[in-house]
């Protein structure tokens, strides 16, 4: 069972950085919010890059088989 969250507790939240403002402030999009929120970069404990999507090219054949 998850521990109950109370006032004053520190939490980690997942969001996507959509812009870095002048002075280093971050605009972060959080799930469930319509607009990005500006946060202080000192509040970020860790970050990681999202996995890159691999492009799958279709297999090409010079001479496709005939249905004769």
């Amino acid at each position: 069972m998850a521990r109950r969250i109370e006032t004053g507790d520190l939490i980690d939240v997942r969001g996507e950085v959509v812009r870095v403002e002048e002075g280093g402030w971050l605009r972060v999009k959080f799930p469930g919010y319509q607009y990005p929120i500006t946060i202080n970069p000192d509040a970020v404990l860790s970050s990681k890059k999202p996995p890159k999507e691999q492009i799958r090219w279709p297999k090409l054949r010079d001479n496709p088989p005939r249905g004769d």
Side-chain angles (χ1 to χ4, degrees):
M1 183 173 169
R3 186 175 79 80
R4 182 182 165 113
I5 297 174
E6 298 175 359
T7 303
D9 289 351
L10 299 176
I11 61 170
D12 293 331
V13 180
R14 184 174 302 216
E16 177 185 358
V17 177
V18 293
R19 187 182 337 167
V20 178
E21 300 283 345
E22 294 180 17
W25 289 80
L26 306 172
R27 300 277 293 174
V28 180
K29 176 78 174 148
F30 293 107
Y33 284 89
Q34 186 174 4
Y35 300 104
I37 297 172
T38 304
I39 63 169
N40 186 335
D42 295 336
V44 178
L45 299 177
S46 66
S47 66
K48 65 179 184 177
K49 302 276 185 196
K52 292 185 178 183
E53 295 181 22
Q54 294 183 357
I55 299 174
R56 295 186 179 194
W57 297 98
K59 294 182 180 180
L60 300 177
R61 293 187 274 173
D62 291 333
N63 297 318
R66 295 185 179 187
D68 295 333

